[in-house]
Amino acid sequence: MQTLKQESPFYLAGLLILTLGIGLTIQSHLGTSPFDALLVGLYRSFGLTIGSWEVVVGFAMIAGNALAKKSLPEFSAMITSFITGAGIDGWVYLLNGRLEPETLFGQSVCFTAGLLFTAAGVATYLQSKIAPNPMDRSMMVITEITGWSVTYSRALISVILVLLAFLCSGAIGPGTLINALFSGVLISFLLPYVKTLKQKASMGKPNATHS
């Protein structure tokens, strides 16, 4: 219980930042991340909400991760999918009609902010021991199995997701390529800084003396 109390602030803050970043890239109309492009494509093709498809695709990725590692499915990761899905739908609802950049400059600023928030969110919640998002768990599984860096593992997943998003008329644009090329780099860059921040935060907390 104590561990959960220590980890949950980074977990929840990371997901909040991540989903804000996703919402901003969607509103930029320059293309979302490959994963979110697939979610938007499924929403356009079959209905439901973008966040609902986060849960459905997340379940499929959990099954794939289990097969790749020859282990039991990490069903606890569904908690992250549910929170992420709700966060995406929440931010899209709040931003829709309030943030509609019409110029290329405005769209670029919106997209860049979204990319930075997304990377910062992933780097933040990956510091917790609570189950990661199935997409990012897949990234870590590939890294563990192949020995590749996070950058290369994320790039491989991105290529597969872009192909699927294309088939579903997803939100593919120049931003999708930029996201695929640089999100892994940004996450790798930010991970040690967020880890240091977490360590400093932990050192600053007094040890509990009673329950």
Side-chain angles (χ1 to χ4, degrees):
M1 182 63 70
Q2 186 65 27
T3 299
L4 183 61
K5 289 174 65 176
Q6 293 174 347
E7 301 291 336
S8 58
F10 274 81
Y11 175 74
L12 295 174
L15 293 181
L16 182 66
I17 296 168
L18 166 65
T19 52
L20 171 58
I22 294 172
L24 288 170
T25 57
I26 291 173
Q27 293 303 113
S28 75
H29 301 295
L30 290 180
T32 64
S33 73
F35 183 76
D36 299 317
L38 174 59
L39 300 183
V40 174
L42 290 169
Y43 155 71
R44 291 174 176 172
S45 299
F46 304 105
L48 297 180
T49 65
I50 299 172
S52 297
W53 284 111
E54 161 76 31
V55 177
V56 174
V57 177
F59 181 83
M61 298 192 86
I62 288 172
N65 293 339
L67 289 173
K69 294 193 69 176
K70 298 180 180 178
S71 62
L72 293 174
E74 193 177 18
F75 287 116
S76 59
M78 287 304 299
I79 299 173
T80 304
S81 285
F82 280 115
I83 296 175
T84 304
I88 292 172
D89 285 344
W91 282 118
V92 168
Y93 175 78
L94 290 173
L95 295 174
N96 191 33
R98 295 177 175 85
L99 182 64
E100 298 286 349
E102 297 181 356
T103 66
L104 180 59
F105 175 77
Q107 292 174 327
S108 299
V109 171
C110 186
F111 172 81
T112 301
L115 179 62
L116 292 174
F117 275 117
T118 299
V122 173
T124 299
Y125 83 75
L126 282 179
Q127 297 301 317
S128 74
K129 294 181 176 65
I130 303 174
N133 181 285
M135 159 68 177
D136 296 302
R137 183 57 177 161
S138 296
M139 176 180 69
M140 302 307 290
V141 167
I142 293 175
T143 297
E144 292 171 11
I145 293 175
T146 64
W148 295 352
S149 68
V150 169
T151 301
Y152 289 124
S153 298
R154 196 174 184 86
L156 174 62
I157 296 173
S158 296
V159 170
I160 296 172
L161 291 173
V162 166
L163 292 175
L164 293 174
F166 177 77
L167 295 175
C168 296
S169 301
I172 299 174
T176 305
L177 177 61
I178 295 172
N179 198 304
L181 291 175
F182 294 106
S183 62
V185 176
L186 286 171
I187 293 169
S188 296
F189 175 78
L190 291 171
L191 275 172
Y193 292 98
V194 180
K195 183 177 181 179
T196 300
L197 177 63
K198 182 187 176 185
Q199 291 172 342
K200 289 182 178 180
S202 299
M203 291 174 61
K205 292 181 179 178
N207 293 326
T209 57
H210 61 277
S211 57

